[in-house]
Amino acid sequence: MHTFAPKSIASHWRLIAGLLPWLLAGCASAGYQMPDLSLDSLFSSDQAAARDQPVANIGITHCDQLTTHEDDWDRVKGISPVEGEDIDIASAIAACEKALAEHPGHRRLQAELARAYAEAFRYDEAFRLSGQAAEAGSLYALIQQGHAYRYGRGTPKDIDKAVNAYQRAAKAGHVGAMNYLGSTLYQRDGWGDRSKAKSWYRKSADAGDATGMANFAQLLLIDGKQEEAFPWFQRAAQQGNAFALQQIGTYYAVGGEPAIKAPYTALSYFEKAVKKGRPSASVKAAKLFIQEAGDTNSHLNESERQAKVLYWVKYGMPTLSTRQ
C-alpha cells in the first residue's frame, strides 16, 4: 500500500491552496454560487446540524424529573426545569446513573448526570461526561464545558476555552449561551472593551430573551446611555426579569430622564423584583420608606413607616443554604 510522506502531504496542500483562488474565480465567472467556505461558516453549519440531530426518544426518565435544566434544548417537553438548590443530589445521581446504564451514550442523560455530579462537586466526572455529550451534539453540554473552563472545575481554568465553548453553542442560536459568552468576554476583556460582550447581549436581546435585554441595557447604562437603556429594561421587566424590575424601580426612585421621580411606582417594581428572587431590591425599598421621614405628603404615620422599613430589611436578608 502506497503512503504519502508528511513532506508530500504538505506539498499537496500548498498546491491546493494555490489553485483555490483560481477555482473560485472560475466558478464565479461561470455563474456558479460557491458556498461560504470560511471556518466560521463551516463551524456554524456543523453546530446547526448537531442541534437539529434528533435525540433518541427514550421517554421521560426519573433522571429527567430530578435534574433537567432550562438551558437544555434536549429536555423532555412537560418536565419543569429544576433549580440547582432544589436538586436531591444523591437521588439524582442514582437515577441518572441507572438511566444512562440502560441507554448508553444518550447525550441528554450524559448532560443531566454531569449536572448532578457537578452539584456533588465531582467535577472531574462532570467534565468528562459533558465532553462526551457535547461531542454528540448537546448544546447544553457545551455550556457545561464553558462553565468548567471558566471556573476551573474538573479542568484547569482557561477563559479562552470557555469563550470557545460558549461561542459554539451561541453560534447555533442558543440565547443562554449568548449571555454566558457576553459575561465571559466582559470578564476577559475588562472595562476597556465592552464591544464584544455588548454584541452578544444584543443578539440575545433581539432574539427576545429577557436576560439578554437586561444585560444589554446594563452595558448601555455603564456607557452613560440612560435613555437608550430604559426601554430595554422595560421589555425585560415585562417578562418578569428580576434585575430589570429592580433597575426600573431605581429609575423611578431617583427620577430624571426618562422617568419622573415616583417613589410608590418605584416601590411596586422593587416588590416585584423581590418576589422574582432579587432580595437586594428590598434594601432599596427600605431606603425609600426611610426617606419618607421628611415627606409631609406621606400617607403613613411614624409607626407604620418604621414597620415597613423593618419588613423590607428583613425580607432582604440572605437565606443561608442548608446544603452541606
Side-chain angles (χ1 to χ4, degrees), residues 95-107 109-110 113 129:
C96 291
E97 287 180 338
K98 180 176 182 293
L100 192 56
E102 295 171 352
H103 306 282
H106 196 281
R107 75 187 192 195
L109 298 177
Q110 288 174 327
L113 179 54
L129 267 179

Side-chain angles (χ1 to χ4, degrees), residues 277-290:
R278 195 166 184 88
S280 60
S282 68
V283 177
K284 292 180 176 290
K287 286 181 178 178
L288 280 181
F289 279 111
I290 291 173

Side-chain angles (χ1 to χ4, degrees), residues 23-262:
L23 175 64
L24 294 176
C27 289
S29 64
Y32 293 108
Q33 181 65 43
M34 291 295 291
D36 183 359
L37 296 179
S38 67
L39 289 178
D40 280 348
S41 71
L42 292 174
F43 188 64
S44 299
S45 299
D46 198 43
Q47 285 302 309
R51 187 186 88 179
D52 295 335
Q53 180 182 342
V55 183
N57 184 8
I58 59 173
I60 298 173
T61 71
H62 193 36
C63 175
D64 297 314
Q65 295 171 325
L66 294 175
T67 63
T68 194
H69 193 281
E70 64 179 355
D71 283 338
D72 192 355
W73 284 7
D74 290 337
R75 71 176 185 268
V76 183
K77 292 182 179 180
I79 298 293
S80 298
V82 183
E83 297 294 332
E85 61 269 21
D86 295 331
I87 292 179
D88 181 338
I89 296 175
S91 298
I93 289 176
C96 291
E97 287 180 338
K98 180 176 182 293
L100 192 56
E102 295 171 352
H103 306 282
H106 196 281
R107 75 187 192 195
R108 186 180 78 238
L109 298 177
Q110 288 174 327
E112 288 175 339
L113 179 54
R115 185 189 187 198
Y117 280 152
E119 290 290 338
F121 309 112
R122 294 165 61 174
Y123 295 130
D124 290 347
E125 294 162 284
F127 182 71
R128 174 183 57 80
L129 267 179
S130 62
Q132 293 174 6
E135 287 179 4
S138 169
L139 299 184
Y140 172 49
L142 274 174
I143 291 173
Q144 291 177 312
Q145 291 271 290
H147 294 341
Y149 283 120
R150 184 175 181 179
Y151 301 108
R153 296 172 178 169
T155 186
K157 184 175 180 178
D158 190 321
I159 296 299
D160 287 336
K161 287 184 178 180
V163 166
N164 180 60
Y166 291 140
Q167 187 167 308
R168 289 171 64 188
K171 284 186 174 182
H174 196 297
V175 292
M178 294 177 192
N179 289 311
Y180 294 127
L181 176 57
S183 63
T184 309
L185 287 167
Y186 189 45
Q187 174 189 349
R188 186 190 70 179
D189 299 338
W191 185 269
D193 184 5
R194 296 185 288 277
S195 60
K196 293 178 182 177
K198 187 183 290 186
S199 174
W200 281 107
Y201 285 153
R202 178 61 189 264
K203 288 179 181 180
S204 176
D206 287 340
D209 182 66
T211 301
M213 293 175 191
N215 287 336
F216 179 61
Q218 182 63 9
L219 289 194
L220 289 173
L221 204 60
I222 291 172
D223 287 339
K225 300 178 180 179
Q226 182 171 317
E227 292 185 47
E228 192 175 339
F230 185 77
W232 285 106
F233 278 131
Q234 277 189 315
R235 290 176 60 188
Q238 288 168 359
Q239 292 189 38
N241 181 273
F243 177 64
L245 286 165
Q246 178 175 311
Q247 291 298 84
I248 292 292
T250 303
Y251 271 92
Y252 284 112
V254 176
E257 296 297 336
I260 60 173
K261 189 170 183 177

